[in-house]
Amino acid sequence: MFIFVRMHSTVKKSRKVQIEEKATTLFREKGYAATSMRDLAQVLGIEAASLYSHIKSKEELLQKICFRMADRFFDAWKEVETEQNSYAAKMQKAAIAYVQVITQNTDASAVFFNEWRHLSEPHLSKFLSMRNDYEGRFIEIIEKGIAAGEFQQVDSKFMMLAILSSLNWTHNWYKPNGKLSPEDVANKLSNLILNGLKK
């Protein structure tokens, strides 16, 4: 007779990962400027000096959060590029991809949207360049949709800002355990957007 024993394995997070996660939460709750290394050490239960054996500075943590989120937005855009049906369908997919990234980690999203101004050069310029690139992709969909007769004649940059501004607030009210899934939220918001764009 064979006896099967279920092995329980727990993967302990590295100290570096723990630091980044706690920093993300603190940056959202207190703001980057108001969060000190002492605050971070306190929530981790370690001495402030011990942090520097894992990270170079507080800003290094902000850089990692901001650029990791930026990379996730660009990775999600790969799904948008596969859409060939219409510009309306492409815009819907773009909105869905955007919301899904935001809702995966609302703390990191809040830091990404609100604390990027504290980045120093050359990181600030790199961040702004990536943001302009991403915004340009939304503008391109709008302009091509107008040219194809799918969308109304609108100011494409203004419309892009209106769309992204409405989506950016998702991290403030989305609840991971709520009634709406990320897909539900994304579909509802993208439908609102498209109702304002379509002829």
Side-chain angles (χ1 to χ4, degrees):
M1 182 174 68
F2 296 95
I3 299 175
F4 294 93
V5 179
R6 181 176 291 177
M7 302 298 291
H8 294 280
S9 61
T10 56
V11 179
K12 189 175 181 180
K13 293 178 181 176
S14 70
R15 178 60 83 183
K16 201 164 190 175
V17 170
Q18 291 173 22
I19 291 170
E20 290 178 17
E21 289 181 350
K22 292 296 184 183
T24 303
T25 302
L26 282 175
F27 291 168
R28 178 179 189 174
E29 292 175 350
K30 299 183 67 171
Y32 173 81
T35 301
S36 67
M37 293 293 272
R38 187 182 298 275
D39 294 330
L40 183 53
Q42 189 172 13
V43 297
L44 287 162
I46 62 175
E47 294 293 327
S50 300
L51 287 172
Y52 293 101
S53 63
H54 301 284
I55 59 170
K56 293 177 182 177
S57 64
K58 186 175 76 166
E59 192 187 333
E60 181 189 36
L61 293 168
L62 180 63
Q63 291 166 14
K64 286 185 177 182
I65 296 165
C66 289
F67 287 104
R68 186 180 293 124
M69 284 296 297
D71 288 341
R72 286 174 181 165
F73 282 117
F74 281 105
D75 286 342
W77 193 269
K78 293 172 185 175
E79 288 295 315
V80 181
E81 292 172 342
T82 65
E83 181 57 60
Q84 301 295 328
N85 289 328
S86 66
Y87 292 107
K90 206 175 190 75
M91 178 60 77
Q92 183 170 29
K93 189 164 278 190
I96 289 171
Y98 196 76
V99 170
Q100 286 177 329
V101 173
I102 292 173
T103 54
Q104 282 170 7
N105 187 333
T106 53
D107 281 351
S109 296
V111 175
F112 175 83
F113 291 126
N114 301 323
E115 306 299 328
W116 60 267
R117 295 171 182 82
H118 297 287
L119 291 169
S120 62
E121 294 294 355
H123 308 288
L124 178 59
S125 291
K126 180 181 177 183
F127 181 86
L128 292 174
S129 177
M130 293 176 78
R131 188 179 70 175
N132 289 338
D133 180 350
Y134 196 85
E135 290 176 348
R137 298 176 186 212
F138 270 85
I139 289 174
E140 183 179 10
I141 294 174
I142 295 167
E143 290 180 344
K144 287 185 175 180
I146 293 170
E150 289 186 41
F151 299 154
Q152 301 179 45
Q153 289 287 338
V154 295
D155 181 315
S156 58
K157 184 174 182 180
F158 177 83
M159 182 57 69
M160 174 276 295
L161 291 171
I163 291 170
L164 292 184
S165 293
S166 66
L167 298 179
N168 289 349
W169 279 98
T170 308
H171 70 83
N172 281 317
W173 55 264
Y174 174 75
K175 303 297 181 187
N177 299 319
K179 293 180 180 179
L180 296 176
S181 69
E183 291 77 15
D184 292 332
V185 172
N187 278 310
K188 286 178 181 294
L189 288 174
S190 61
N191 285 335
L192 284 173
I193 291 165
L194 288 170
N195 285 337
L197 268 177
K198 283 182 180 177
K199 281 189 173 180

